[in-house]
Amino acid sequence: MDAIDKKYFEKRERLLNAIRYQPVDRLPYSGVMNGTVDSLQKAAGGADYYENPKEVYAAAMRHWDADCVLQFVLPDRLDRKVGPNAEVDVHNGIMSVLYRMVGEWIKEHGKFESAEDIRDFCLTVPDVSEAPKYVDVDNVRQRYIELIQWGDFLKPAVWLPTPNMLVDWMWYTSMGYENYLMAHLLYPEELERLFAFMAEEKHLSNTVVARTIMENDMVPLVYGGSDICGNDGPLVSPETLRQLYFPHLKRAISPIVESGIHWLWHSDGDIMPIVPDLMDCGIDGFQGFEEDKGMDMYALSETSCKNGKLPFLHGSINVTTTMYQGVGDVRKDVKRMVDLSDGRGGGIILGTSSSIMDNVSTENIFAMYDAFANQDNL
């Protein structure tokens, strides 16, 4: 085993021990999402980000000694050209056929203009019983392995991709907010066809993914979520979600949960009204706490999961407040997360609340990583 692999397994052990409330030498911390070109270049020793964005990002992660990388989001979204979704054929095995069907619908009928358009599209979704026709288990296994291997260049950091293993609720991005939200009210049965079919697809593919993780000793931790909430809570009522969405989410991810694989749920907005529902599905970790928008991270930290344990949390240096303040404020935000871990006996991965934007000072980004690396001196 070479030095990089040895350090990789040390980071992997630290990460898993933290989320399992076992002793760690220090809290693990993640690499930045987005970040700034200046900070990445400086951390990488002055290398030109635009010549080799992947390599400069990886060098910055090594400089900062990051334990893990969630997603792979670069400044200026260059990840769309050099990231995993550009270099791994995720549509052949991992992505739901529904994304292709939506694209074909738009080509034939034009953009979704009403809730009725969504109703009509949902009526074209195959019946749940037909889901096995659309899931090639060999492709699922191969694409997942390729996706994990894609992140080898990030080592010794542990790569945690977002392989779209859940039932997506964010169809408003292609169908329009008003149309989509109205469809929940006017055409719930038709809309549920979409969720039910995708759930069966994902149940089948996640059975393969869970087996692949366990058989290949991959990191038993997956990352993903769907933006369901805004600043005022869920975009539709929790009652509606409980009828139309959560039973299907639970069905989709059950092979992962039942295999003992941990799930870190990416969450935007105030998710507190639906935390019990997410936990009932088997979610045991959360990332992305917009506390300045009303999210109560401390209440979440005290809410027991379905497995009887407290959730593990990834965060939460606030990217919309703290990262625009002084170096001292950055250090204080890191310290409160260290203190939270001390108070609950673990369960914390240090990181930002969301993506760091390009107008954040390089000084604050370096101050954050210095505080991460020197937790005992805060």
Side-chain angles (χ1 to χ4, degrees):
M1 182 183 296
D2 63 22
I4 291 180
D5 280 338
K6 182 179 179 181
K7 196 166 186 180
Y8 167 83
F9 282 104
E10 290 174 355
K11 291 179 178 296
R12 168 179 163 148
E13 182 179 18
R14 180 183 296 129
L15 178 65
L16 292 177
N17 282 351
I19 68 179
R20 292 169 175 170
Y21 291 85
Q22 296 172 355
V24 293
D25 57 338
R26 64 163 170 80
L27 297 185
Y29 55 88
S30 68
V32 295
M33 292 185 285
N34 274 13
T36 68
V37 171
D38 182 66
S39 65
L40 293 175
Q41 289 184 150
K42 185 175 180 180
D48 189 336
Y49 165 81
Y50 292 105
E51 284 189 5
N52 299 291
K54 283 172 56 177
E55 291 75 9
V56 168
Y57 181 90
M61 295 306 103
R62 287 191 286 273
H63 174 82
W64 284 321
D65 201 24
D67 291 292
C68 59
V69 172
L70 306 184
Q71 298 178 283
F72 180 75
V73 184
L74 296 178
D76 302 331
R77 292 311 309 266
L78 284 182
D79 51 283
R80 291 172 176 152
K81 294 183 178 180
V82 300
N85 289 346
E87 298 180 357
V88 178
D89 187 7
V90 293
H91 288 279
N92 180 19
I94 292 179
M95 300 293 284
S96 168
V97 69
L98 292 178
Y99 297 109
R100 175 175 59 79
M101 292 181 64
V102 166
E104 291 173 349
W105 174 275
I106 292 173
K107 284 183 180 180
E108 182 176 352
H109 301 279
K111 294 191 299 183
F112 290 88
E113 300 288 355
S114 66
E116 285 70 32
D117 285 346
I118 295 175
R119 173 200 62 195
D120 294 344
F121 167 75
C122 289
L123 289 172
T124 70
V125 171
D127 185 76
V128 169
S129 64
E130 297 185 58
K133 299 178 183 178
Y134 297 89
V135 179
D136 185 322
V137 295
D138 291 331
N139 281 352
V140 172
R141 182 182 299 105
Q142 183 62 29
R143 292 296 89 73
Y144 191 77
I145 291 172
E146 289 174 4
L147 192 63
I148 295 298
Q149 291 176 340
W150 179 90
D152 282 350
F153 75 98
L154 292 165
K155 286 182 175 178
V158 177
W159 160 235
L160 298 174
T162 50
N164 199 264
M165 297 161 64
L166 47 75
V167 176
D168 196 358
W169 192 80
M170 296 172 59
W171 294 100
Y172 50 73
T173 58
S174 54
M175 297 179 177
Y177 279 95
E178 184 175 341
N179 304 329
Y180 183 60
L181 300 180
M182 286 296 293
H184 282 73
L185 177 64
L186 298 176
Y187 306 109
E189 292 182 7
E190 290 84 353
L191 187 61
E192 193 174 7
R193 283 179 61 95
L194 183 151
F195 297 139
F197 176 80
M198 193 171 190
E200 197 59 26
E201 268 189 311
K202 292 305 172 182
H203 181 88
L204 294 167
S205 61
N206 284 340
T207 299
V208 179
V209 169
R211 188 181 307 124
T212 301
I213 290 173
M214 305 310 289
E215 290 177 351
N216 293 276
D217 193 30
M218 295 175 174
V219 178
L221 170 63
V222 297
Y223 171 59
S226 203
D227 292 344
I228 300 173
C229 300
N231 297 347
D232 299 318
L235 299 180
V236 299
S237 73
E239 292 75 18
T240 297
L241 292 169
R242 287 166 194 146
Q243 293 174 14
L244 302 184
Y245 178 70
F246 285 120
H248 303 297
L249 175 64
K250 188 173 185 177
R251 168 69 176 167
I253 70 175
S254 59
I256 300 296
V257 173
E258 291 168 4
S259 295
I261 298 167
H262 302 278
W263 192 298
L264 178 61
W265 181 269
H266 167 71
S267 35
D268 281 352
D270 182 3
I271 66 166
M272 288 306 294
I274 61 170
V275 162
D277 303 286
L278 292 169
M279 288 182 169
D280 182 63
C281 291
I283 303 297
D284 62 343
F286 295 88
Q287 174 270 331
F289 312 117
E290 297 183 290
E291 295 174 271
D292 54 315
K293 306 298 193 301
M295 175 61 195
D296 191 340
M297 182 188 68
Y298 290 98
L300 173 61
S301 74
E302 298 171 357
T303 304
S304 294
C305 298
K306 191 176 182 180
N307 60 14
K309 298 180 180 180
L310 294 176
F312 65 93
L313 308 178
H314 177 289
S316 181
I317 316 308
N318 196 304
V319 298
T320 55
T321 57
T322 304
M323 292 307 293
Y324 292 98
Q325 297 169 353
V327 166
D329 299 292
V330 173
R331 292 178 63 83
K332 286 179 182 177
D333 223 7
V334 175
K335 185 177 187 304
R336 73 169 183 133
M337 296 305 298
V338 175
D339 290 344
L340 180 60
S341 177
D342 290 343
R344 66 204 298 265
I348 299 293
I349 304 166
L350 296 174
T352 56
S353 61
S354 190
S355 296
I356 291 178
M357 296 292 101
D358 60 6
N359 58 350
V360 169
S361 73
T362 297
E363 181 183 23
N364 278 359
I365 295 173
F366 272 78
M368 179 182 71
Y369 278 105
D370 179 71
F372 284 170
N374 296 282
Q375 301 163 25
D376 292 339
N377 298 323
L378 292 174

